Amino acid sequence: MSQADIGLIGLGVMGENLALNIADNGYKVAVYNRTADKVDSFLSGAGDLSDNVMGSADLAKFVSMLKRPRSVIIMVKAGGPVDSVIEQLKPLLEKGDVIIDAGNANYHDTVRRFAELDGTGIGFLGIGVSGGEEGARHGPSIMVGGSEDEWHNAEDVLNAIAAKFDGESCCAYLGTGGAGHFVKTIHNGIEYADMQMIAEIYGVMRDGLGMSPAECADVFREWNKGPLDSYLIEISSHVLDAVDEESGKPLLDIIVDQAGQKGTGRWSAIEALNLGVSATTIEGAVAARSISAMKDERIAGEKLYGAAPKGKAKLDLKTLEKALLAGKIAAYAQGFAVMAKASEENGWNLPLDQIAKIWRAGCIIRSRFLDTISQSFASGTAANLLTQPAFVEMMKDSNGALREVVAGCAMAELPTPCLSSALAYFDGYRQANGTTNLTQGQRDFFGAHGFKRYDKEGDFHHSWPSLIEK
Ligand code: NAP
Protein backbone atom coordinates (compact mmCIF):
# COMPACT_ATOMS: atom_id res chain seq x y z
CA MET A 1 0.00 0.00 0.00
CA SER A 2 1.19 3.56 -0.70
CA GLN A 3 2.15 5.79 2.19
CA ALA A 4 -0.38 7.44 4.51
CA ASP A 5 -1.41 11.07 4.10
CA ILE A 6 -1.55 11.51 7.86
CA GLY A 7 -0.82 9.59 11.06
CA LEU A 8 -2.94 9.31 14.20
CA ILE A 9 -1.78 8.25 17.64
CA GLY A 10 -4.36 7.19 20.24
CA LEU A 11 -7.20 4.84 19.37
CA GLY A 12 -9.53 5.83 22.21
CA VAL A 13 -13.12 6.97 21.62
CA MET A 14 -12.11 10.13 19.75
CA GLY A 15 -9.00 8.86 17.96
CA GLU A 16 -10.62 5.75 16.51
CA ASN A 17 -13.54 7.74 15.15
CA LEU A 18 -11.34 10.52 13.77
CA ALA A 19 -9.21 7.91 11.97
CA LEU A 20 -12.32 6.33 10.40
CA ASN A 21 -13.55 9.81 9.42
CA ILE A 22 -10.20 10.54 7.70
CA ALA A 23 -10.34 7.22 5.84
CA ASP A 24 -13.98 7.82 4.92
CA ASN A 25 -12.98 11.10 3.29
CA GLY A 26 -10.61 9.31 0.95
CA TYR A 27 -7.34 9.98 2.78
CA LYS A 28 -4.96 7.24 3.85
CA VAL A 29 -4.40 7.19 7.59
CA ALA A 30 -1.80 5.29 9.62
CA VAL A 31 -2.58 4.57 13.28
CA TYR A 32 -0.58 3.77 16.42
CA ASN A 33 -1.77 3.10 19.97
CA ARG A 34 0.16 2.43 23.19
CA THR A 35 -1.83 -0.75 23.80
CA ALA A 36 -1.06 -2.87 20.76
CA ASP A 37 -4.33 -4.86 20.69
CA LYS A 38 -6.25 -1.73 19.76
CA VAL A 39 -4.21 -1.30 16.58
CA ASP A 40 -5.01 -4.87 15.51
CA SER A 41 -8.70 -4.58 16.31
CA PHE A 42 -8.92 -1.20 14.56
CA LEU A 43 -7.31 -2.56 11.39
CA SER A 44 -9.34 -5.75 11.37
CA GLY A 45 -12.60 -3.85 12.00
CA ALA A 46 -12.11 -1.17 9.33
CA GLY A 47 -14.41 -3.02 6.86
CA ASP A 48 -15.05 -1.01 3.67
CA LEU A 49 -12.41 1.49 4.72
CA SER A 50 -9.59 -1.03 5.04
CA ASP A 51 -7.91 0.21 1.82
CA ASN A 52 -7.37 3.56 3.50
CA VAL A 53 -6.09 2.41 6.89
CA MET A 54 -2.75 1.01 7.99
CA GLY A 55 -0.90 0.97 11.26
CA SER A 56 1.57 -0.55 13.63
CA ALA A 57 2.09 -1.00 17.35
CA ASP A 58 5.73 -0.11 16.72
CA LEU A 59 6.11 3.69 16.75
CA ALA A 60 9.09 3.80 14.36
CA LYS A 61 7.29 1.55 11.89
CA PHE A 62 4.19 3.75 12.19
CA VAL A 63 6.27 6.86 11.40
CA SER A 64 7.85 5.13 8.40
CA MET A 65 4.35 4.67 6.93
CA LEU A 66 3.81 8.45 6.62
CA LYS A 67 4.31 10.64 3.56
CA ARG A 68 6.89 13.43 3.95
CA PRO A 69 6.54 16.05 5.32
CA ARG A 70 4.77 14.01 7.98
CA SER A 71 1.66 15.16 9.86
CA VAL A 72 0.88 13.25 13.06
CA ILE A 73 -2.31 13.79 15.05
CA ILE A 74 -2.06 12.95 18.76
CA MET A 75 -5.44 12.09 20.29
CA VAL A 76 -4.51 10.69 23.71
CA LYS A 77 -5.50 11.56 27.27
CA ALA A 78 -4.69 15.24 27.90
CA GLY A 79 -1.73 16.27 30.08
CA GLY A 80 1.33 14.09 30.75
CA PRO A 81 0.47 11.45 28.11
CA VAL A 82 0.71 14.11 25.37
CA ASP A 83 4.20 15.14 26.57
CA SER A 84 5.23 11.52 26.74
CA VAL A 85 4.07 10.83 23.16
CA ILE A 86 5.81 13.99 21.87
CA GLU A 87 9.07 12.88 23.54
CA GLN A 88 8.83 9.45 21.90
CA LEU A 89 8.03 10.96 18.50
CA LYS A 90 10.71 13.65 18.46
CA PRO A 91 13.69 11.42 17.56
CA LEU A 92 11.65 9.78 14.80
CA LEU A 93 10.57 13.00 13.06
CA GLU A 94 12.56 15.54 11.06
CA LYS A 95 12.52 19.19 10.04
CA GLY A 96 9.27 20.14 8.29
CA ASP A 97 7.14 17.46 9.97
CA VAL A 98 4.26 18.59 12.14
CA ILE A 99 2.75 17.24 15.36
CA ILE A 100 -0.94 18.07 15.86
CA ASP A 101 -2.30 17.79 19.40
CA ALA A 102 -6.05 17.29 18.96
CA GLY A 103 -6.93 16.56 22.61
CA ASN A 104 -8.41 18.95 25.14
CA ALA A 105 -5.14 20.59 26.15
CA ASN A 106 -4.88 23.42 28.60
CA TYR A 107 -3.67 26.17 26.26
CA HIS A 108 -0.79 27.01 28.60
CA ASP A 109 0.51 23.46 27.96
CA THR A 110 0.17 24.09 24.23
CA VAL A 111 2.22 27.29 24.51
CA ARG A 112 4.88 25.38 26.50
CA ARG A 113 4.99 22.57 23.92
CA PHE A 114 5.54 25.11 21.15
CA ALA A 115 8.49 26.48 23.10
CA GLU A 116 9.90 23.01 23.75
CA LEU A 117 9.76 22.10 20.04
CA ASP A 118 11.23 25.44 19.02
CA GLY A 119 14.58 24.93 17.30
CA THR A 120 13.89 21.30 16.37
CA GLY A 121 12.34 22.24 13.01
CA ILE A 122 9.36 20.07 13.96
CA GLY A 123 6.16 22.07 13.75
CA PHE A 124 3.29 21.97 16.19
CA LEU A 125 -0.43 22.67 15.92
CA GLY A 126 -2.82 22.73 18.86
CA ILE A 127 -6.32 21.97 17.62
CA GLY A 128 -9.56 21.90 19.57
CA VAL A 129 -11.97 19.20 18.39
CA SER A 130 -15.59 19.28 19.51
CA GLY A 131 -18.49 16.99 18.78
CA GLY A 132 -17.88 13.93 20.92
CA GLU A 133 -17.78 10.44 19.47
CA GLU A 134 -20.36 11.08 16.75
CA GLY A 135 -18.73 14.35 15.71
CA ALA A 136 -15.31 12.73 15.50
CA ARG A 137 -16.73 10.04 13.19
CA HIS A 138 -18.98 12.18 10.97
CA GLY A 139 -17.70 15.75 11.27
CA PRO A 140 -16.51 17.69 14.30
CA SER A 141 -15.90 21.40 14.67
CA ILE A 142 -12.13 22.02 14.54
CA MET A 143 -10.39 25.06 16.03
CA VAL A 144 -6.81 25.39 14.80
CA GLY A 145 -3.92 27.20 16.47
CA GLY A 146 -0.26 27.34 15.51
CA SER A 147 1.83 28.59 12.64
CA GLU A 148 -0.07 29.23 9.43
CA ASP A 149 2.55 27.42 7.32
CA GLU A 150 2.15 24.25 9.33
CA TRP A 151 -1.64 24.56 9.16
CA HIS A 152 -1.33 24.39 5.38
CA ASN A 153 0.34 20.92 5.74
CA ALA A 154 -2.80 19.49 7.31
CA GLU A 155 -5.43 21.89 5.98
CA ASP A 156 -6.94 19.64 3.30
CA VAL A 157 -7.44 16.66 5.60
CA LEU A 158 -8.81 18.72 8.52
CA ASN A 159 -11.20 20.68 6.28
CA ALA A 160 -12.43 17.45 4.72
CA ILE A 161 -13.19 15.68 8.02
CA ALA A 162 -14.86 18.68 9.69
CA ALA A 163 -18.62 19.19 9.87
CA LYS A 164 -20.19 21.31 7.13
CA PHE A 165 -22.74 24.10 7.56
CA ASP A 166 -24.35 25.17 4.27
CA GLY A 167 -21.41 23.50 2.56
CA GLU A 168 -18.80 25.48 4.53
CA SER A 169 -16.23 23.55 6.56
CA CYS A 170 -16.47 23.99 10.34
CA CYS A 171 -12.69 24.03 10.62
CA ALA A 172 -10.67 27.21 10.71
CA TYR A 173 -7.22 28.49 11.46
CA LEU A 174 -7.75 30.95 14.31
CA GLY A 175 -4.34 32.20 15.35
CA THR A 176 -0.83 31.46 16.49
CA GLY A 177 0.36 29.43 19.49
CA GLY A 178 -2.38 28.27 21.83
CA ALA A 179 -5.25 30.08 20.04
CA GLY A 180 -7.04 26.90 18.95
CA HIS A 181 -6.96 25.26 22.37
CA PHE A 182 -7.93 28.54 24.05
CA VAL A 183 -11.01 28.86 21.82
CA LYS A 184 -11.91 25.21 22.52
CA THR A 185 -11.63 25.91 26.25
CA ILE A 186 -14.06 28.83 25.98
CA HIS A 187 -16.34 26.70 23.79
CA ASN A 188 -16.51 24.23 26.66
CA GLY A 189 -17.11 27.00 29.22
CA ILE A 190 -20.08 28.20 27.17
CA GLU A 191 -21.19 24.57 26.85
CA TYR A 192 -21.16 24.22 30.65
CA ALA A 193 -23.30 27.37 31.02
CA ASP A 194 -25.72 26.33 28.27
CA MET A 195 -26.18 22.87 29.82
CA GLN A 196 -26.60 24.21 33.35
CA MET A 197 -29.23 26.78 32.33
CA ILE A 198 -31.21 24.07 30.53
CA ALA A 199 -30.96 21.96 33.71
CA GLU A 200 -32.16 24.90 35.84
CA ILE A 201 -35.21 25.37 33.59
CA TYR A 202 -35.87 21.62 33.84
CA GLY A 203 -35.69 22.08 37.62
CA VAL A 204 -38.37 24.78 37.48
CA MET A 205 -40.60 22.51 35.41
CA ARG A 206 -40.00 19.49 37.68
CA ASP A 207 -40.09 21.08 41.13
CA GLY A 208 -41.83 24.38 40.55
CA LEU A 209 -44.51 23.25 38.11
CA GLY A 210 -44.72 19.54 38.98
CA MET A 211 -44.13 18.34 35.41
CA SER A 212 -43.05 14.77 34.55
CA PRO A 213 -39.89 14.08 32.48
CA ALA A 214 -42.05 13.16 29.47
CA GLU A 215 -43.96 16.46 29.76
CA CYS A 216 -40.65 18.37 29.97
CA ALA A 217 -39.42 16.44 26.90
CA ASP A 218 -42.45 17.65 24.91
CA VAL A 219 -41.72 21.24 25.90
CA PHE A 220 -38.05 21.01 24.86
CA ARG A 221 -39.10 19.42 21.56
CA GLU A 222 -41.40 22.35 20.92
CA TRP A 223 -38.74 24.89 21.89
CA ASN A 224 -36.37 23.24 19.46
CA LYS A 225 -38.51 24.66 16.65
CA GLY A 226 -37.95 28.24 17.84
CA PRO A 227 -35.04 30.55 18.76
CA LEU A 228 -33.62 27.96 21.19
CA ASP A 229 -33.19 25.40 18.40
CA SER A 230 -29.90 23.66 19.26
CA TYR A 231 -28.24 20.29 19.70
CA LEU A 232 -28.33 20.63 23.50
CA ILE A 233 -32.09 21.31 23.59
CA GLU A 234 -32.62 18.40 21.18
CA ILE A 235 -30.63 15.91 23.24
CA SER A 236 -32.29 17.15 26.43
CA SER A 237 -35.68 16.08 25.05
CA HIS A 238 -34.25 12.64 24.26
CA VAL A 239 -32.71 12.30 27.73
CA LEU A 240 -36.02 13.34 29.33
CA ASP A 241 -37.91 10.84 27.19
CA ALA A 242 -35.72 7.83 27.91
CA VAL A 243 -37.14 5.01 30.03
CA ASP A 244 -35.04 2.66 32.17
CA GLU A 245 -35.63 -0.86 30.87
CA GLU A 246 -35.05 -2.51 34.25
CA SER A 247 -37.40 -0.44 36.38
CA GLY A 248 -39.72 0.99 33.73
CA LYS A 249 -39.15 4.42 35.30
CA PRO A 250 -38.01 7.57 33.46
CA LEU A 251 -34.23 7.14 33.14
CA LEU A 252 -33.70 10.66 34.42
CA ASP A 253 -35.24 9.73 37.77
CA ILE A 254 -32.59 7.00 38.10
CA ILE A 255 -29.56 9.09 37.09
CA VAL A 256 -27.77 10.47 40.18
CA ASP A 257 -27.66 14.28 40.29
CA GLN A 258 -23.86 14.56 40.51
CA ALA A 259 -22.15 16.10 37.48
CA GLY A 260 -18.62 15.17 36.50
CA GLN A 261 -16.11 17.60 35.06
CA LYS A 262 -12.82 17.08 33.30
CA GLY A 263 -11.48 20.61 33.68
CA THR A 264 -12.19 22.62 30.55
CA GLY A 265 -15.12 24.54 32.13
CA ARG A 266 -12.95 25.35 35.13
CA TRP A 267 -10.06 26.47 32.88
CA SER A 268 -12.50 28.71 31.06
CA ALA A 269 -13.56 30.40 34.31
CA ILE A 270 -9.92 30.68 35.44
CA GLU A 271 -8.90 32.33 32.16
CA ALA A 272 -11.79 34.80 32.46
CA LEU A 273 -10.72 35.66 36.00
CA ASN A 274 -7.07 36.02 34.95
CA LEU A 275 -8.04 38.30 32.07
CA GLY A 276 -10.31 40.40 34.30
CA VAL A 277 -13.39 39.65 32.19
CA SER A 278 -16.73 39.01 33.86
CA ALA A 279 -17.90 35.50 32.98
CA THR A 280 -20.10 34.81 35.98
CA THR A 281 -22.51 32.52 34.14
CA ILE A 282 -19.66 30.22 33.11
CA GLU A 283 -18.28 30.39 36.67
CA GLY A 284 -21.80 29.63 37.96
CA ALA A 285 -21.98 26.52 35.82
CA VAL A 286 -18.64 25.23 37.12
CA ALA A 287 -19.75 25.96 40.70
CA ALA A 288 -23.08 24.21 40.09
CA ARG A 289 -21.23 21.04 39.06
CA SER A 290 -19.06 21.34 42.17
CA ILE A 291 -22.04 21.66 44.54
CA SER A 292 -23.78 18.83 42.68
CA ALA A 293 -20.83 16.57 43.58
CA MET A 294 -21.45 17.21 47.32
CA LYS A 295 -24.44 14.86 47.47
CA ASP A 296 -24.05 13.87 51.14
CA GLU A 297 -23.73 17.48 52.27
CA ARG A 298 -26.79 18.45 50.21
CA ILE A 299 -28.81 15.66 51.83
CA ALA A 300 -27.70 16.89 55.26
CA GLY A 301 -28.43 20.50 54.23
CA GLU A 302 -31.98 19.63 53.23
CA LYS A 303 -32.52 17.97 56.61
CA LEU A 304 -31.21 21.08 58.38
CA TYR A 305 -33.18 23.70 56.47
CA GLY A 306 -36.09 21.70 55.11
CA ALA A 307 -36.85 20.90 51.48
CA ALA A 308 -38.01 23.61 49.08
CA PRO A 309 -41.79 23.52 48.70
CA LYS A 310 -43.00 21.72 45.57
CA GLY A 311 -45.20 23.24 42.89
CA LYS A 312 -44.79 26.82 44.07
CA ALA A 313 -43.38 28.49 40.95
CA LYS A 314 -45.88 30.84 39.36
CA LEU A 315 -44.30 30.79 35.91
CA ASP A 316 -45.61 29.88 32.49
CA LEU A 317 -43.73 27.97 29.81
CA LYS A 318 -43.45 30.94 27.41
CA THR A 319 -41.71 32.91 30.18
CA LEU A 320 -39.31 30.00 30.80
CA GLU A 321 -38.46 29.80 27.10
CA LYS A 322 -37.69 33.51 26.88
CA ALA A 323 -35.71 33.44 30.13
CA LEU A 324 -33.54 30.65 28.75
CA LEU A 325 -32.90 32.68 25.61
CA ALA A 326 -31.90 35.75 27.66
CA GLY A 327 -29.60 33.64 29.85
CA LYS A 328 -28.04 32.10 26.78
CA ILE A 329 -27.34 35.51 25.24
CA ALA A 330 -25.60 36.62 28.46
CA ALA A 331 -23.49 33.44 28.63
CA TYR A 332 -22.38 33.69 24.99
CA ALA A 333 -21.70 37.42 25.44
CA GLN A 334 -19.36 36.51 28.30
CA GLY A 335 -17.58 33.74 26.38
CA PHE A 336 -17.00 35.96 23.34
CA ALA A 337 -15.86 38.84 25.58
CA VAL A 338 -13.27 36.50 27.15
CA MET A 339 -12.01 35.53 23.69
CA ALA A 340 -11.88 39.18 22.57
CA LYS A 341 -9.75 40.09 25.58
CA ALA A 342 -7.47 37.05 25.23
CA SER A 343 -7.02 37.89 21.56
CA GLU A 344 -5.90 41.40 22.46
CA GLU A 345 -3.54 40.20 25.22
CA ASN A 346 -1.94 37.46 23.09
CA GLY A 347 -1.93 39.32 19.76
CA TRP A 348 -4.01 36.56 18.18
CA ASN A 349 -6.48 38.70 16.27
CA LEU A 350 -9.13 35.99 16.82
CA PRO A 351 -11.84 36.15 14.14
CA LEU A 352 -14.94 36.10 16.38
CA ASP A 353 -17.33 35.83 13.41
CA GLN A 354 -15.36 32.86 12.06
CA ILE A 355 -15.38 31.17 15.47
CA ALA A 356 -19.18 31.48 15.63
CA LYS A 357 -19.31 30.11 12.07
CA ILE A 358 -17.34 26.96 12.83
CA TRP A 359 -19.50 26.34 15.91
CA ARG A 360 -22.70 26.27 13.82
CA ALA A 361 -22.28 22.55 13.11
CA GLY A 362 -20.33 19.60 14.49
CA CYS A 363 -19.76 20.86 18.02
CA ILE A 364 -21.78 20.37 21.19
CA ILE A 365 -23.10 23.97 21.33
CA ARG A 366 -24.15 23.98 17.67
CA SER A 367 -27.30 25.98 17.07
CA ARG A 368 -29.03 28.41 14.74
CA PHE A 369 -28.25 31.07 17.35
CA LEU A 370 -24.56 30.89 16.35
CA ASP A 371 -25.43 31.84 12.79
CA THR A 372 -26.90 35.10 14.13
CA ILE A 373 -23.78 35.62 16.30
CA SER A 374 -21.54 35.08 13.30
CA GLN A 375 -23.49 37.58 11.17
CA SER A 376 -23.42 40.11 14.02
CA PHE A 377 -19.67 39.94 14.50
CA ALA A 378 -19.13 40.02 10.73
CA SER A 379 -21.09 43.24 10.37
CA GLY A 380 -20.29 45.00 13.64
CA THR A 381 -17.16 46.07 15.44
CA ALA A 382 -18.30 46.05 19.08
CA ALA A 383 -16.86 43.11 21.00
CA ASN A 384 -19.75 42.44 23.38
CA LEU A 385 -22.71 40.58 21.97
CA LEU A 386 -25.05 42.66 24.16
CA THR A 387 -24.28 45.66 21.96
CA GLN A 388 -24.93 43.89 18.64
CA PRO A 389 -28.26 45.09 17.17
CA ALA A 390 -29.79 41.64 16.66
CA PHE A 391 -29.07 40.74 20.28
CA VAL A 392 -30.17 44.13 21.64
CA GLU A 393 -33.59 43.41 20.19
CA MET A 394 -33.69 39.84 21.58
CA MET A 395 -32.48 40.96 24.99
CA LYS A 396 -34.99 43.80 25.19
CA ASP A 397 -37.70 41.29 24.45
CA SER A 398 -36.51 38.57 26.82
CA ASN A 399 -34.75 40.09 29.84
CA GLY A 400 -38.09 40.69 31.60
CA ALA A 401 -38.79 36.96 31.42
CA LEU A 402 -35.37 36.18 32.88
CA ARG A 403 -36.12 38.60 35.72
CA GLU A 404 -39.49 36.93 36.36
CA VAL A 405 -37.93 33.46 36.42
CA VAL A 406 -35.05 34.43 38.71
CA ALA A 407 -37.39 36.26 41.10
CA GLY A 408 -39.96 33.45 40.92
CA CYS A 409 -37.34 30.81 41.63
CA ALA A 410 -35.94 32.82 44.54
CA MET A 411 -39.42 32.87 46.10
CA ALA A 412 -40.01 29.20 45.28
CA GLU A 413 -36.62 28.37 46.86
CA LEU A 414 -35.21 26.86 43.66
CA PRO A 415 -31.52 27.39 42.88
CA THR A 416 -30.69 29.10 39.57
CA PRO A 417 -26.95 29.86 39.82
CA CYS A 418 -26.52 30.43 36.08
CA LEU A 419 -29.78 32.15 35.24
CA SER A 420 -29.44 34.53 38.18
CA SER A 421 -25.81 35.32 37.36
CA ALA A 422 -26.82 35.93 33.74
CA LEU A 423 -29.42 38.44 34.94
CA ALA A 424 -26.93 40.11 37.28
CA TYR A 425 -24.41 40.33 34.41
CA PHE A 426 -27.01 41.96 32.18
CA ASP A 427 -28.15 44.38 34.89
CA GLY A 428 -24.53 45.25 35.65
CA TYR A 429 -23.70 45.70 31.97
CA ARG A 430 -26.52 48.20 31.39
CA GLN A 431 -26.08 50.17 34.64
CA ALA A 432 -24.26 53.42 33.82
CA ASN A 433 -23.96 54.46 37.45
CA GLY A 434 -22.79 51.47 39.50
CA THR A 435 -21.91 51.18 43.17
CA THR A 436 -18.17 50.58 43.16
CA ASN A 437 -17.66 54.26 44.04
CA LEU A 438 -18.20 52.96 47.58
CA THR A 439 -15.73 50.11 46.96
CA GLN A 440 -13.13 52.65 45.81
CA GLY A 441 -13.82 54.78 48.89
CA GLN A 442 -13.32 51.73 51.13
CA ARG A 443 -10.10 50.77 49.29
CA ASP A 444 -8.77 54.28 49.68
CA PHE A 445 -9.78 54.31 53.37
CA PHE A 446 -7.91 51.17 54.36
CA GLY A 447 -5.18 50.97 51.74
CA ALA A 448 -4.72 54.45 50.26
CA HIS A 449 -5.42 52.92 46.84
CA GLY A 450 -6.72 56.22 45.48
CA PHE A 451 -9.72 56.98 43.29
CA LYS A 452 -10.72 58.98 40.24
CA ARG A 453 -13.21 61.89 40.36
CA TYR A 454 -15.96 62.81 37.92
CA ASP A 455 -15.07 66.49 38.14
CA LYS A 456 -11.26 66.46 37.68
CA GLU A 457 -8.60 64.43 35.85
CA GLY A 458 -5.99 62.48 37.83
CA ASP A 459 -5.70 60.18 40.84
CA PHE A 460 -6.84 61.33 44.28
CA HIS A 461 -6.55 60.26 47.88
CA HIS A 462 -8.75 61.48 50.71
CA SER A 463 -7.55 62.19 54.25
CA TRP A 464 -9.73 59.72 56.12
CA PRO A 465 -10.12 60.01 59.89
CA SER A 466 -8.27 57.42 61.95
CA LEU A 467 -10.60 54.94 63.65
CA ILE A 468 -8.02 54.07 66.31
CA GLU A 469 -9.01 55.77 69.56
CA LYS A 470 -6.31 58.05 70.84
P1 NAP B 1 -10.02 7.69 25.78
O1 NAP B 1 -11.11 6.99 25.06
O2 NAP B 1 -9.94 7.55 27.24
O3 NAP B 1 -8.63 7.22 25.12
C1 NAP B 1 -7.44 7.65 25.63
C2 NAP B 1 -6.32 7.33 24.66
O4 NAP B 1 -5.12 7.88 25.23
C3 NAP B 1 -6.07 5.84 24.45
O5 NAP B 1 -5.70 5.63 23.11
C4 NAP B 1 -4.91 5.57 25.39
O6 NAP B 1 -4.10 4.51 25.01
C5 NAP B 1 -4.15 6.86 25.24
N1 NAP B 1 -3.23 7.08 26.35
C6 NAP B 1 -3.55 7.33 27.63
N2 NAP B 1 -2.43 7.49 28.37
C7 NAP B 1 -1.39 7.36 27.51
C8 NAP B 1 0.02 7.45 27.64
N3 NAP B 1 0.58 7.73 28.82
N4 NAP B 1 0.78 7.28 26.54
C9 NAP B 1 0.21 7.01 25.35
N5 NAP B 1 -1.11 6.92 25.15
C10 NAP B 1 -1.90 7.10 26.22
O7 NAP B 1 -10.02 9.25 25.47
P2 NAP B 1 -10.88 10.12 24.42
O8 NAP B 1 -12.23 10.32 24.97
O9 NAP B 1 -10.70 9.56 23.05
O10 NAP B 1 -10.12 11.53 24.55
C11 NAP B 1 -8.89 11.81 23.91
C12 NAP B 1 -8.69 13.31 23.96
O11 NAP B 1 -9.77 13.96 23.28
C13 NAP B 1 -8.67 13.89 25.38
O12 NAP B 1 -7.82 14.99 25.41
C14 NAP B 1 -10.11 14.37 25.54
O13 NAP B 1 -10.23 15.37 26.52
C15 NAP B 1 -10.40 14.89 24.15
N6 NAP B 1 -11.81 14.99 23.77
C16 NAP B 1 -12.70 14.02 24.12
C17 NAP B 1 -14.03 14.15 23.73
C18 NAP B 1 -15.03 13.09 24.07
O14 NAP B 1 -16.23 13.34 23.87
N7 NAP B 1 -14.62 11.92 24.54
C19 NAP B 1 -14.43 15.27 22.99
C20 NAP B 1 -13.49 16.21 22.62
C21 NAP B 1 -12.18 16.08 23.01
P3 NAP B 1 -4.31 3.02 25.62
O15 NAP B 1 -5.32 2.37 24.74
O16 NAP B 1 -2.98 2.41 25.54
O17 NAP B 1 -4.80 3.18 27.03
Side-chain angles (χ1 to χ4, degrees):
M1 195 194 280
S2 57
Q3 288 198 296
D5 298 296
I6 196 158
L8 188 143
I9 295 179
L11 290 172
V13 176
M14 293 297 284
E16 177 174 11
N17 283 292
L18 265 191
L20 291 173
N21 186 354
I22 294 169
D24 217 0
N25 275 284
Y27 291 95
K28 289 193 170 15
V29 60
V31 298
Y32 166 86
N33 192 70
R34 178 183 61 173
T35 307
D37 295 357
K38 285 199 190 161
V39 176
D40 297 337
S41 57
F42 175 83
L43 295 177
S44 59
D48 292 350
L49 299 174
S50 53
D51 282 352
N52 281 348
V53 300
M54 59 189 95
S56 172
D58 178 300
L59 194 61
K61 212 165 162 197
F62 156 81
V63 170
S64 74
M65 293 174 170
L66 306 175
K67 265 185 201 161
R68 286 185 166 88
R70 308 173 184 97
S71 298
V72 185
I73 296 176
I74 302 179
M75 195 42 136
V76 301
K77 197 166 180 273
V82 176
D83 290 311
S84 153
V85 171
I86 293 174
E87 279 314 304
Q88 293 167 58
L89 265 179
K90 257 175 22 188
L92 303 172
L93 297 181
E94 58 193 19
K95 202 168 172 225
D97 293 343
V98 60
I99 296 175
I100 305 167
D101 176 19
N104 273 341
N106 184 319
Y107 100 102
H108 294 288
D109 283 338
T110 305
V111 170
R112 171 179 56 76
R113 287 174 187 137
F114 270 105
E116 286 168 2
L117 282 167
D118 194 30
T120 63
I122 300 169
F124 190 63
L125 291 176
I127 69 169
V129 176
S130 176
E133 185 176 0
E134 196 195 316
R137 177 65 184 88
H138 299 291
S141 168
I142 304 179
M143 298 143 249
V144 183
S147 108
E148 241 181 313
D149 287 345
E150 275 134 22
W151 150 239
H152 293 312
N153 282 0
E155 186 177 5
D156 290 347
V157 177
L158 295 180
N159 269 328
I161 64 168
K164 307 290 177 302
F165 184 93
D166 284 349
E168 279 183 73
S169 168
C170 290
C171 168
Y173 172 78
L174 301 176
T176 55
H181 278 141
F182 186 88
V183 171
K184 173 70 194 328
T185 298
I186 302 305
H187 165 283
N188 286 23
I190 294 173
E191 175 187 309
Y192 269 51
D194 222 341
M195 291 169 73
Q196 173 62 23
M197 287 189 289
I198 294 171
E200 288 173 17
I201 292 289
Y202 150 69
V204 180
M205 291 195 238
R206 184 189 69 181
D207 298 331
L209 304 176
M211 291 168 61
S212 69
E215 286 168 333
C216 299
D218 286 342
V219 173
F220 281 126
R221 241 188 311 277
E222 202 48 41
W223 289 356
N224 208 34
K225 296 175 192 157
L228 290 172
D229 170 10
S230 61
Y231 172 73
L232 284 172
I233 289 285
E234 186 190 343
I235 64 165
S236 301
S237 67
H238 292 303
V239 174
L240 283 155
D241 252 346
V243 173
D244 175 49
E245 281 175 15
E246 253 179 79
S247 63
K249 290 183 181 168
L251 183 63
L252 206 54
D253 291 346
I254 312 258
I255 298 177
V256 176
D257 63 331
Q258 286 180 298
Q261 45 180 324
K262 287 196 172 160
T264 45
R266 188 170 56 240
W267 296 343
S268 195
I270 290 170
E271 294 309 331
L273 289 168
N274 283 339
L275 289 162
V277 179
S278 175
T280 48
T281 309
I282 295 172
E283 288 164 29
V286 177
R289 289 201 190 187
S290 300
I291 203 164
S292 86
M294 301 156 50
K295 181 79 172 169
D296 292 344
E297 283 186 60
R298 287 189 288 118
I299 292 170
E302 188 169 295
K303 279 200 186 113
L304 269 178
Y305 293 102
K310 296 273 180 202
K312 290 283 183 215
K314 291 183 179 46
L315 295 161
D316 61 62
L317 294 173
K318 191 74 214 159
T319 305
L320 293 184
E321 183 185 17
K322 278 196 176 183
L324 190 48
L325 181 65
K328 188 166 164 142
I329 295 170
Y332 280 67
Q334 293 171 14
F336 276 89
V338 175
M339 289 191 288
K341 182 72 174 174
S343 178
E344 197 184 302
E345 298 262 313
N346 294 288
W348 284 330
N349 203 16
L350 289 180
L352 299 183
D353 58 332
Q354 187 69 13
I355 291 168
K357 260 188 173 182
I358 62 168
W359 287 353
R360 292 177 302 177
C363 68
I364 303 297
I365 62 170
R366 61 186 181 257
S367 66
R368 74 154 76 165
F369 182 79
L370 279 155
D371 200 29
T372 318
I373 296 183
S374 167
Q375 287 165 17
S376 288
F377 280 126
S379 58
T381 48
N384 197 299
L385 213 56
L386 289 175
T387 64
Q388 304 280 351
F391 291 93
V392 173
E393 283 314 304
M394 277 193 251
M395 209 54 186
K396 278 186 175 170
D397 182 54
S398 60
N399 81 84
L402 180 59
R403 198 172 305 287
E404 258 188 77
V405 169
V406 170
C409 286
M411 296 321 291
E413 302 174 39
L414 299 173
T416 54
C418 274
L419 291 168
S420 51
S421 66
L423 179 64
Y425 175 77
F426 171 71
D427 282 339
Y429 191 80
R430 47 73 70 95
Q431 184 184 39
N433 188 25
T435 57
T436 51
N437 45 346
L438 179 58
T439 312
Q440 283 301 88
Q442 291 162 336
R443 292 180 72 237
D444 193 52
F445 193 114
F446 64 68
H449 293 298
F451 51 84
K452 301 227 182 277
R453 298 174 59 113
Y454 283 125
D455 55 354
K456 291 181 205 167
E457 288 290 317
D459 293 309
F460 297 88
H461 168 59
H462 183 73
S463 288
W464 304 99
S466 171
L467 297 186
I468 299 168
E469 303 240 346
K470 300 235 163 77

